[in-house]
Amino acid sequence: MAETAEAHYLDRRRTAAERLTGVAVARHGYARHLRKVRMIEAGHPIPDAAGLEAAERALALADGAGADDLVLVLMSGGASANWIAPAEGISFEDKQTVTRALLRSGAAIGEINTVRKHLSRIKGGRLARHAHPAKLLTIAISDVPGDDPSAIGSGPTVPDPTTLADARAIIAKYKIAPAAAITQALTNQRNESPKPGDPAFADSQFKLAARPADAMRAAEDAVRADGYECISLGDRVEGEARDVAAAHARLARELRDQGKRAVVISGGELTVTIRGKGRGGPNQEYALALAIGLAGLPAVAALAGDTDGTDGGSGAATDPAGALVDGESVARAQAKGLDPAAFLADNNSTGFFTALGDLLSPGPTYTNVNDFRAIVIDTP
């Protein structure tokens, strides 16, 4: 997005280079070559010191903008982890620890971001306060169900409908025991986020450049062009990855029983409650549970992957995006002496698919319109 913005201003509009300044941040391994804008690679999903630097640079740029300036914010999924500016009194380590706990708890991404917003100086509309009174334009790629502007990147430039009380309730719901500084911050009214009607949003616009629904429609068109019936479950599927996979496997079996030649597609963001010690992500765990549900079913294959090219994991650009399975995946695993159910119980989907050679590893895609899953049911 930053690369395209530079081309727009410097090449097409012939804007003087000294009039353009900025900072771009993406996860490690996702950098692009930029001419005027500073490129920073930072930690995701666990924030790191580079994310701190990126957020401070963004806040400083916004603070320096005047009434005659345009502050252009290009937002996409990942910004919640990549832009880190802990609220006053919170250490970076405290923020990392509570983020890890939320990610392991099975909390939905919206719940995680509600907590993040109230522990931040940049999220939840606060960047807009720093940019005021400049003109503010946000162009976003949505990676969230429903395309809620306040949820994309934790909404740094839009009003926040969530509250400190909501954040405290989420901490309690998942039985997280945060550091004392986190508890104090979530009771401090100064950490309440700006709401609709705040003067910071008086000269602000928000535009969507792409949505998960756009990607789903393109997939539907491709499925039908190949002569299959397309069964779209929508771009807002949420829930525990293994439970959703079991339901999708049952649907695939029903379609086979009906003699259908079809493709079931779905988007949305699944969650994993981590109880084991293995490695993986929601798409890989979904794929593993789906393989168990599809075991022995002929002429069926499936893919599950994160459209940014990385499915959770360690945060490295080489992490897999997801996995590929078919009706023979379980039999092939058992022939190697592997117990799929044991891998699932240990949340070790990466280990399972590494052993089978069935990881989906496209590398960085430089965009993010959430997760994508497809199950192909063909004629035996």
Side-chain angles (χ1 to χ4, degrees), residues 247-319:
H248 289 185
R250 289 192 294 271
L251 174 58
R253 289 186 175 275
E254 290 169 6
L255 292 168
R256 165 53 48 76
D257 290 343
Q258 296 166 15
K260 299 277 190 178
R261 187 170 181 265
V263 181
V264 179
I265 64 172
S266 63
E269 191 151 329
L270 305 181
T271 54
V272 173
T273 301
I274 298 176
R275 299 182 177 91
K277 298 180 179 179
R279 291 179 56 235
N283 288 289
Q284 295 165 81
E285 180 140 326
Y286 167 93
L288 175 51
L290 185 69
I292 294 171
L294 296 177
L297 193 65
V300 61
L303 169 153
D306 194 321
T307 58
D308 69 1
T310 306
D311 180 40
S314 66
T318 54
D319 286 339

Side-chain angles (χ1 to χ4, degrees), residues 35 48-49 55 63 76 82 89 91-93 95 104 116 121 127 131 136 138 174 207 219 222 257 265 279 350-351 374:
R35 291 172 282 173
D48 62 11
D63 285 337
S76 64
N82 285 158
S91 71
F92 176 48
E93 290 73 20
K95 195 93 179 271
R104 293 180 63 88
R116 282 168 160 170
R121 290 180 288 112
L127 181 60
L136 176 63
T138 304
Y174 292 100
K207 304 288 185 182
D257 290 343
I265 64 172
R279 291 179 56 235
T350 299

Side-chain angles (χ1 to χ4, degrees), residues 142-149 151-152 208 211-212 235-236 238 370:
S142 173
D143 70 321
V144 299
D147 309 319
D148 177 4
I152 302 169
L208 279 173
R211 308 170 301 155
D235 64 299
R236 304 183 185 187
E238 295 182 279
N370 217 309

